[in-house]
Amino acid sequence: MSKSKNDYSNRQHMYRKDYELFYYKDMQFKNVSLHHHDFFEVYFFVKGEVRYQIEGRNYHLVPGDILLVNHKELHQVLIENPDHYYERYVLWLNKDYLRSLSSGRTDLTRCFLDQEKKTLLRTSMENHQLIRGILDKLHYQNKEDGFGADLLPKALLTELMIELNRMSFEEDKLQPQVKKNQLIDSVISFINEHLEEEINMDLLAAEFFISKYHLSREFKKYTGTTLYRFVVQKRLIKAKGLILEGNPITSVYEECGFGDYSNFFRAFKNEYGLTPKEFLGVMEERKASETRADTRI
């Protein structure tokens, strides 16, 4: 079974309504800036020297490692040796599509959303081969349009997500290498719980009884960004969720701590290239298009 690599693209949005799978193999790859998606991501590491930052935790990866990233987690990859090949599979999953593959008994989104979920799965050789085998078959199906081409990807994705969920909640046999800082973990938890309130370095320094200069340095070290930038991105993630739930755009900014609408409008446009109203219009049109397609099936 032949396998061709995808040309890397820095887009962070899905074209399809179900899933997209990429197989990348790059040399001299540059770091990706801190970002999030409106969908789930399964990242399967094959080769390279990289470190992955997710919500202030740093993961030093070994071949076969799997990362499960949900739609609210800020993350980025850091290349530690650009002269080595950086090889990986990246699977994007629409949240609603994954729910549609689930059943009343089996929730396939659990490995992304459960409070006890693991972010990094360090696999045994047996599981490594199993997961890579499924990903290879799924990647091959991207180019196929023969008999069963509409059913086999769904079957492969269901099998993949069942296995990942099983692995995510079984007892750790292989201990992954995670570099984290208890202070930064606590600061990020505080931020997530107080997004609608004023948050700044002085407030956090007082809350955690620490010098703001030390906090600033440690925060940048473990998250890869500044406190201000991190808070803005987190507020925007919350704002998008509220908009999609039907909350009025003109009141969302208050619930997310932006202070005034102009600041919210500017931050949203700078981050996503769309105004809040344009974003809502795009999402409503996409949903209407999917509904029309479903009625034709």
Side-chain angles (χ1 to χ4, degrees), residues 10-144:
N10 61 3
R11 72 176 166 95
Q12 301 297 350
H13 58 276
M14 290 182 67
Y15 290 141
R16 294 174 47 161
K17 66 177 184 179
D18 47 8
Y19 78 95
E20 294 183 29
L21 175 62
F22 310 93
Y23 167 67
Y24 294 126
K25 187 175 182 181
D26 301 292
M27 183 79 82
Q28 295 295 328
F29 187 82
K30 292 182 170 54
N31 292 337
V32 177
S33 61
L34 195 69
H35 63 281
H36 82 100
H37 309 294
D38 293 323
F39 44 84
F40 301 139
E41 178 174 311
V42 177
Y43 170 100
F44 183 91
F45 179 64
V46 179
K47 184 187 298 183
E49 291 187 25
V50 304
R51 179 163 49 94
Y52 219 100
Q53 288 184 330
I54 304 176
E55 294 285 298
R57 299 187 177 195
N58 286 255
Y59 300 88
H60 290 266
L61 303 181
V62 300
D65 278 353
I66 299 168
L67 292 167
L68 304 175
V69 186
N70 73 33
H71 60 299
K72 293 185 178 181
E73 293 176 317
L74 291 170
H75 57 282
Q76 67 180 146
V77 66
L78 300 173
I79 307 301
E80 300 195 315
N81 191 336
D83 293 327
H84 286 192
Y85 272 112
Y86 173 36
E87 186 177 355
R88 70 278 187 206
Y89 296 81
V90 179
L91 172 64
W92 291 348
L93 289 160
N94 179 285
K95 295 175 290 181
D96 292 333
Y97 178 70
L98 188 53
R99 290 190 183 101
S100 75
L101 296 181
S102 303
S103 69
R105 177 179 173 183
T106 304
D107 180 6
L108 297 178
T109 71
R110 187 182 172 211
C111 63
F112 294 105
L113 300 177
D114 193 279
Q115 293 276 357
E116 303 301 320
K117 83 175 187 76
K118 298 187 186 78
T119 297
L120 172 61
L121 307 179
R122 179 145 294 169
T123 61
S124 64
M125 181 58 68
E126 181 181 2
N127 283 337
H128 180 166
Q129 293 173 344
L130 172 64
I131 299 303
R132 184 164 186 178
I134 297 173
L135 290 171
D136 278 339
K137 289 179 184 177
L138 193 57
H139 189 264
Y140 178 74
Q141 286 302 312
N142 285 344
K143 300 174 291 182
E144 288 294 297

Side-chain angles (χ1 to χ4, degrees), residues 206-220:
E207 178 73 23
F208 292 95
F209 306 101
I210 189 172
S211 158
K212 65 180 182 180
Y213 304 106
H214 178 68
L215 176 56
S216 176
R217 185 171 60 250
E218 290 296 287
F219 195 90
K220 181 69 179 290

